[in-house]
Amino acid sequence: MWIAIGVLGVLVLLVIILVIRTLRFKPKSAPSPEPFDVTLDEKRIVESLQAMIRFKTISHQDKQKEDREAFANFREYLKTRYPLINARATYEDVGETGVLFTLKGESNEKPIVLMSHYDVVPENGEWEHDPFSGMIIDDAIYGRGTLDTKGTLCSVMEAVEHWLAQKSPIKHDMYLAFSGDEETRGPSANAIVEHLNKRGVKPYIVLDEGGAIVENVFPSVKKKAAMIGLAEKGYANVRLEAHSQGGHAATPPKTTPITTLADAVTRLNKGTLFKLKKTDATMKMFDTIARHATSFPVKMIFANLWLFWPLVRAMAKKSGGEMISLLHTTQAFTQMEGSEAMNVLPTKATLGVNYRILTNQTVDEVKDTIIKRINNPDVTVNVVQGADPTTISQTTGSYDALTD
């Protein structure tokens, strides 16, 4: 009897704690910026982005496939389209495709770096319209690079050009840094970093491609949210290989390189290869955005993750998509090659897999996990390209400039 009463008392106390924590789980107060009028030349901005899209700055792993003239012409366009920036700034070509504008400010303390890239991936798939036309369709600019990410590059250049046109002062040194080989993980961005390091530049804030303004991506949150990227996942392009003596399809063995890789895919795709984990960045996001939820149960869950984390994991597994991708290393099978003829057994079959690696994991850990799961010495696992995740940016100091 007393045990039952004790258990009931604990449960009542637990409910009271959960409810109190939920009631206190309100949006954090932040000072509202002073409103000010900005008059923009929308026609000019649209024309600038359209022109940028028309440059076929397509990057390839095989550099022989690239139109280097298009890249050079794009860089030249930045020099002619933005006369005020070029009159005020020092322009430099850095690395293979890097561009760096240096605008000296009133102070060299707390320098600002605004980044983007101007290369795009190939126009795979079927396009209803020319992907390099820059056409306006239904009040949207159409083409490869509008979002990833000539749009942000155009925004940076137009904003700074506009600022200079207003004869507004530049309080801190500013660097406009753009690369033309981001999509292939090329060396230009690193070259710009090394270049700034040699000059002793230690940025106060670096703004890159970042997130987006999204809505309806979090349970019961109706407001639009501007997602600030605090970290970037690592990546690994992995090639699986299996070999045999080949032969004719009329006398096939039970096991071929194709069946060996098929078994490997089945093993890798079974269940959850990488556990769902908390990271400081995702917990910060949950704590910020969940406070705006209109559903009391949802707020209760995220106000008390110390208790409901298993439930959040289950929700992520069920919903999939962006939610689950935030919490674990993802795996995508992307390429497969075997014999060149339908009636010939392959001597070698390969499979390409792309991994996006969660913070606090490494490329080596991912490779070890793959090998253990496949558990077959006849399958060779090679990391073709890879990079560990970035560190998580701090959320004090310069971060406040974005959230105020």
Side-chain angles (χ1 to χ4, degrees):
M1 178 65 178
W2 289 109
I3 294 177
I5 293 175
V7 171
L8 180 61
V10 170
L11 291 176
V12 171
L13 179 60
L14 177 61
V15 171
I16 291 173
I17 293 173
L18 295 178
V19 171
I20 291 175
R21 287 177 60 87
T22 305
L23 292 174
R24 291 179 175 177
F25 196 59
K26 298 178 180 179
K28 297 178 180 179
S29 60
S32 299
E34 290 294 329
F36 58 93
D37 293 328
V38 178
T39 302
L40 298 177
D41 187 344
E42 294 186 13
K43 182 174 182 293
R44 173 194 159 85
I45 296 171
V46 169
E47 289 175 348
S48 295
L49 182 54
Q50 287 179 300
M52 290 182 183
I53 292 166
R54 293 182 185 123
F55 291 99
K56 295 184 178 181
T57 51
I58 306 169
S59 57
H60 296 270
Q61 294 293 346
D62 181 359
K63 296 301 180 182
Q64 298 297 321
K65 296 180 179 180
E66 293 182 348
D67 181 356
R68 304 315 302 170
E69 185 177 356
F71 286 76
N73 289 341
F74 184 91
R75 294 192 291 271
E76 192 63 31
Y77 177 77
L78 296 182
K79 297 177 184 178
T80 57
R81 182 63 171 174
Y82 301 99
L84 297 181
I85 291 177
N86 282 276
R88 175 75 178 268
T90 301
Y91 175 91
E92 297 172 274
D93 291 312
V94 183
E96 294 182 6
T97 63
V99 170
L100 182 65
F101 292 94
T102 301
L103 291 141
K104 301 301 292 183
E106 297 173 354
S107 170
N108 60 5
E109 296 182 358
K110 298 183 177 181
I112 299 169
V113 178
L114 304 179
M115 293 177 60
S116 186
H117 66 88
Y118 59 94
D119 62 318
V120 298
V121 296
E123 66 278 24
N124 298 326
E126 295 184 5
W127 290 68
E128 185 177 353
H129 305 282
D130 181 357
F132 296 99
S133 65
M135 296 173 61
I136 297 177
I137 303 171
D138 296 330
D139 294 326
I141 300 176
Y142 190 93
R144 179 66 92 202
T146 51
L147 299 177
D148 189 10
T149 186
K150 289 178 178 176
T152 55
L153 191 154
C154 180
S155 298
V156 167
M157 295 298 288
E158 290 292 334
V160 175
E161 185 80 359
H162 176 79
W163 186 263
L164 295 176
Q166 305 307 308
K167 302 187 185 309
S168 302
I170 297 178
K171 294 183 178 181
H172 303 275
D173 288 355
M174 182 182 297
Y175 300 89
L176 314 182
F178 313 127
S179 74
D181 50 21
E182 189 269 354
E183 296 292 357
T184 56
R185 299 278 178 167
S188 296
N190 288 337
I192 294 174
V193 171
E194 292 174 6
H195 185 67
L196 292 178
N197 279 337
K198 289 179 180 178
R199 290 168 55 179
V201 177
K202 296 183 178 180
Y204 177 67
I205 186 170
V206 178
L207 296 181
D208 197 2
E209 194 170 338
I213 297 176
V214 299
E215 56 184 328
N216 299 321
V217 297
F218 197 87
S220 83
V221 174
K222 307 301 181 183
K223 294 183 177 180
K224 292 182 179 180
M227 308 298 289
I228 301 173
L230 297 180
E232 184 174 0
K233 280 186 168 184
Y235 82 102
N237 288 326
V238 176
R239 180 181 293 119
L240 309 181
E241 291 187 9
H243 299 261
S244 75
Q245 294 181 349
H248 198 279
T251 56
K254 180 71 173 176
T255 300
T256 70
I258 295 293
T259 61
T260 299
L261 290 187
D263 179 69
V265 170
T266 301
R267 289 172 179 266
L268 291 173
N269 207 40
K270 185 178 181 180
T272 303
L273 183 60
F274 298 97
K275 293 181 179 179
L276 274 62
K277 297 180 179 180
K278 301 176 185 177
T279 68
D280 291 343
T282 52
M283 292 303 104
K284 176 78 174 178
M285 185 197 73
F286 288 156
D287 181 72
T288 300
I289 197 169
R291 294 173 182 269
H292 296 271
T294 57
S295 166
F296 190 83
V298 169
K299 292 187 72 171
M300 178 177 286
I301 290 171
F302 287 93
N304 298 280
L305 284 177
W306 56 275
L307 178 64
F308 293 119
W309 174 244
L311 181 58
V312 172
R313 286 190 304 179
M315 290 169 57
K317 289 180 180 180
K318 183 176 181 180
S319 62
E322 292 185 6
M323 181 69 168
I324 194 170
S325 296
L326 288 169
L327 302 176
H328 77 144
T329 294
T330 59
Q331 171 181 259
F333 303 102
T334 56
Q335 294 178 317
M336 193 168 189
E337 296 180 356
S339 174
E340 295 183 0
M342 290 286 286
N343 63 343
V344 176
L345 299 175
T347 57
K348 179 179 77 170
T350 63
L351 178 75
V353 197
N354 178 264
Y355 293 89
R356 301 300 172 96
I357 305 170
L358 190 67
T359 303
N360 299 328
Q361 288 185 304
T362 67
V363 173
D364 288 340
E365 290 172 356
V366 168
K367 181 178 178 180
D368 290 343
T369 301
I370 296 168
I371 293 172
K372 290 177 181 178
R373 175 62 71 88
I374 293 175
N375 192 30
N376 186 345
D378 292 333
V379 177
T380 303
V381 180
N382 295 311
V383 177
V384 180
Q385 288 179 312
D388 292 336
T390 66
T391 56
I392 298 176
S393 297
Q394 63 184 17
T395 53
T396 57
S398 58
Y399 179 83
D400 296 332
L402 297 179
T403 57
D404 287 351

